[in-house]
Amino acid sequence: PLHQKIIDVNKSKQYEAFNMEHQIPNEVALLFDAVNLTSTVINEYGLLKTKALNCKSSTSWEYGSTLFNYLKLKSFNGLSGRVEFNQYGQRTQFDLDILSLNEEGLQKIGMWDTANGLEMLRLKPDLEPTERSLRHAHFNVMVCWIQPYAMLKTTSAPLTGNDQFEGFSIDLIRELSNLEGFKYTFIRNEDDLNGSYNSTSGKWNGMIEDILSG
């Protein structure tokens, strides 16, 4: 069974080869690495003293902040790739592949990482003005603040317009604009929500609500 193979590979630490062979879903790989990291830290530092807490109380576990700090200090190669965190507990030193679906299947056309941003592999096409061309078109692109996809730049000088944003999604739209010749304006959703449907009210919220309402 797959779960037994995952347990076995945890002993050998041959994560990359195992993931390439079995194509582990991202959710499974991330969950495995999270549990593996937490159990490793608890075992290494002996953070096993627990006590019952009332969810309605402001009292917190006395070792909570200590555990969080130890988690940030750990780094290892896991099923989801390199696992490493910054001082805020955000994952760093990871990369994403950009895929294009064509007649032959999925093709890698670029990559994005936290250090270098977006890098596209395919050359900029020579677009001819056609009815289906995106050249000179203008799009309003909805975004919400979800790291590392869309964030405000931290700078000493004030920025305006599209220049004030950064992140994976921001880099991707910018590169697509360079490839296809269209213009765009980022519009932030004030709720910072992708959007979910409320079956009681029959309404959406977040970015989907903004799109539906025009």
Side-chain angles (χ1 to χ4, degrees):
L2 181 59
H3 70 273
Q4 183 59 52
K5 293 181 180 179
I6 293 178
I7 294 174
D8 293 338
V9 79
N10 188 40
K11 299 177 182 178
S12 65
K13 307 301 181 184
Q14 300 297 320
Y15 296 116
E16 184 174 355
F18 179 82
N19 205 350
M20 291 181 63
E21 178 183 355
H22 296 280
Q23 295 294 303
I24 303 299
N26 288 336
E27 295 83 357
V28 175
L30 291 169
L31 179 60
F32 174 84
D33 287 343
V35 173
N36 190 25
L37 171 63
T38 304
S39 64
T40 299
V41 169
I42 290 177
N43 289 330
E44 284 188 3
Y45 298 102
L47 301 175
L48 298 176
K49 297 180 180 179
T50 61
K51 65 178 180 180
L53 295 175
N54 189 330
C55 295
K56 298 181 180 180
S57 171
S58 60
T59 304
S60 60
W61 183 40
E62 58 184 315
Y63 296 103
S65 59
T66 302
L67 175 61
F68 181 60
N69 288 330
Y70 281 138
L71 289 172
K72 292 188 294 183
L73 293 175
K74 294 293 291 185
S75 60
F76 63 97
N77 294 319
L79 275 181
S80 62
R82 183 66 180 172
V83 179
E84 192 170 327
F85 303 94
N86 62 18
Q87 59 180 325
Y88 305 107
Q90 300 164 340
R91 189 165 175 178
T92 61
Q93 305 303 322
F94 66 93
D95 55 84
L96 302 171
D97 288 340
I98 312 299
L99 304 178
S100 175
L101 179 61
N102 53 35
E103 293 83 358
E104 300 177 355
L106 290 174
Q107 177 185 9
K108 181 177 177 179
I109 61 172
M111 69 279 292
W112 182 90
D113 62 56
T114 53
N116 303 309
L118 184 68
E119 179 182 351
M120 301 300 290
L121 299 180
R122 66 179 181 182
L123 298 177
K124 181 177 179 179
D126 294 324
L127 293 177
E128 295 294 335
T130 65
E131 187 175 333
R132 299 178 60 185
S133 173
L134 298 179
R135 186 176 293 278
H136 305 309
H138 185 276
F139 298 96
N140 290 330
V141 181
M142 298 293 302
V143 295
C144 57
W145 291 172
I146 300 178
Q147 297 183 355
Y149 302 102
M151 303 164 286
L152 273 178
K153 288 182 180 177
T154 303
T155 61
S156 57
L159 300 175
T160 59
N162 294 336
D163 292 335
Q164 61 187 314
F165 308 122
E166 65 179 352
F168 168 68
S169 298
I170 306 302
D171 291 345
L172 180 59
I173 294 296
R174 183 182 298 113
E175 189 64 26
L176 287 174
S177 171
N178 293 334
L179 288 171
E180 304 295 343
F182 63 83
K183 300 182 183 298
Y184 59 93
T185 300
F186 288 118
I187 300 177
R188 178 189 177 186
N189 172 258
E190 296 298 331
D191 297 327
D192 285 332
L193 296 172
N194 290 323
S196 59
Y197 182 72
N198 187 318
S199 58
T200 303
S201 64
K203 296 181 179 180
W204 290 84
N205 63 9
M207 291 193 294
I208 296 181
E209 178 189 20
D210 289 346
I211 294 173
L212 292 176
S213 62

